[in-house]
Amino acid sequence: MNNVTLHTLSACKQAGEKFAVLTAYDACFAHAVSEAGIEVILVGDSLGMVLQGQDSTLPVTVDDMVYHTQSVARGNQGALIMSDMPFMSYATTELAMANAARLMQAGAHMVKLEGDRWLADAIALLSERGIPTCAHMGLTPQTVNKMGGYKVQGRDSESAKQMIEDAVLLEKAGASCLLLECVPALLAEEITRAVEIPVIGIGAGAATDGQVLVVHDMLGLTPKRTPKFVKNFMADTGDVQSALRAYAIAVKDGSFPAEEHTFK
Ligand SMILES: Nc1nc(=O)c2c([nH]1)NC[C@@H]1CN(c3ccc(C(=O)N[C@@H](CCC(=O)O)C(=O)O)cc3)CN21
Ligand SMILES: CC(C)C(=O)C(=O)O
Ligand SMILES: [Mg+2]
């Protein structure tokens, strides 16, 4: 695969072609995921739960994210690397600048921040300084204590309207990408149409421009109950490389996510 850039993702959106995203936290998975034709690798702070056994993403540090981003960058074969900024590492614009710089120097091509309109200042600053950003909206796991659990967001008309406005506002502030987690499919579709930047979904229906899953979930390796939006691609394939390819194909041909993976 040729090197994937932000331009590749925008071109996908314009052509109506779907792109695939998976997490990877180490060189081995980064190699396998990028070789399978998956456009974007997410070095997610979900590594706190998946690798460290924590019960939320809050304990993950910038040092953890730097270590895993460096490992992923060494194994990567041409995918775009997006790294999560962990809890409180972008609480002020100064913190955001210093910590995003560390992730970019570790090998990220873009950083992801969780929030809504309050992210505008940090996104504007990072973008002006040459760091592309993805705004992660909807279910934002770093605010699990405020949300009172991992719950679908944007179900009432007021919060849905607010989410659409905030998505447009963050695009205007300079966001290069959006990620929508656990929102009703119709709302995700409306947001995807309302912005020109590519939109990645997880538990957000089939209308977003890209789809993401945690790689351990789609390989059936997660010991706990997995969320509704997860499909085990290992079940019908039997080996890791085939499962990764089957996921890439299913995202591109629109067969994943299906109705059963989607919130109404
Ligand atoms: N292994 C793993 N996979 C993930 O997708 C993931 C992580 N870890 N850690 C960080 C966050 C946490 N995420 C989660 C965790 C639980 C639900 C969940 O249980 N959702 C309910 C929806 C409940 C409702 O209807 O409001 C579900 O039934 O799927 C969703 C996202 C997504 N991320
Ligand atoms: C679940 C995805 C979107 C994420 O942010 C992560 O893996 O940390
Ligand atoms: Mg995350």
Side-chain angles (χ1 to χ4, degrees), residues 222-253:
T222 303
K224 292 177 190 155
R225 178 193 153 272
T226 53
K228 177 184 163 78
F229 53 75
V230 172
K231 178 178 174 183
N232 178 352
F233 284 86
M234 198 65 163
D236 321 308
T237 52
D239 72 280
V240 172
Q241 204 55 245
S242 304
L244 298 177
R245 285 189 188 283
Y247 169 74
I249 291 166
V251 169
K252 285 167 207 294
D253 72 16

Side-chain angles (χ1 to χ4, degrees), residues 44-46 84 112 114 136:
D45 61 352
S46 52
D84 269 347
K112 178 160 77 59
E114 296 181 7
H136 178 157

Side-chain angles (χ1 to χ4, degrees), residues 45-46 49-50 57 139 141 150-152 155 181-182 202 214 217 222 225-230 263:
D45 61 352
S46 52
M49 295 165 82
V50 178
T57 58
L139 193 168
Y150 298 106
K151 293 177 186 154
V152 176
R155 275 204 153 131
E181 177 168 350
C182 292
I202 176 166
V214 167
D217 292 347
T222 303
R225 178 193 153 272
T226 53
K228 177 184 163 78
F229 53 75
V230 172
F263 299 108

Side-chain angles (χ1 to χ4, degrees), residues 21-25 42-48 50 57 65 82 84 112 114 136 139 141-142 179-181 200-202 212-215 217 229:
V21 185
L22 281 176
T23 63
Y25 314 117
L42 172 64
V43 188
D45 61 352
S46 52
L47 67 86
V50 178
T57 58
M65 295 309 299
M82 172 156 77
D84 269 347
K112 178 160 77 59
E114 296 181 7
H136 178 157
L139 193 168
Q142 292 172 14
L179 185 148
L180 301 177
E181 177 168 350
I200 302 166
I202 176 166
V212 61
L213 284 177
V214 167
V215 72
D217 292 347
F229 53 75

Side-chain angles (χ1 to χ4, degrees), residues 33 35 64 111 137 145 151 154 183 185 187 196-199 206 218:
V33 166
E35 281 288 295
D64 291 336
V111 297
M137 305 176 72
N145 296 295
K151 293 177 186 154
V183 301
L187 174 58
E196 280 178 33
I197 52 178
V199 179
M218 58 76 74

Side-chain angles (χ1 to χ4, degrees), residues 122-202:
I123 284 174
L125 178 66
L126 295 180
S127 166
E128 282 161 5
R129 298 292 187 275
I131 301 181
T133 58
C134 178
H136 178 157
M137 305 176 72
L139 193 168
T140 47
Q142 292 172 14
T143 41
V144 61
N145 296 295
K146 204 174 156 190
M147 290 185 297
Y150 298 106
K151 293 177 186 154
V152 176
Q153 302 294 304
R155 275 204 153 131
D156 60 275
S157 61
E158 186 50 42
S159 63
K161 182 169 157 272
Q162 185 84 8
M163 208 184 293
I164 300 165
E165 281 177 19
D166 290 4
V168 171
L169 185 145
L170 292 177
E171 175 180 44
K172 288 206 175 91
S176 295
C177 175
L178 294 180
L179 185 148
L180 301 177
E181 177 168 350
C182 292
V183 301
L186 281 175
L187 174 58
E189 185 174 352
E190 200 168 335
I191 293 173
T192 303
R193 275 203 294 247
V195 298
E196 280 178 33
I197 52 178
V199 179
I200 302 166
I202 176 166

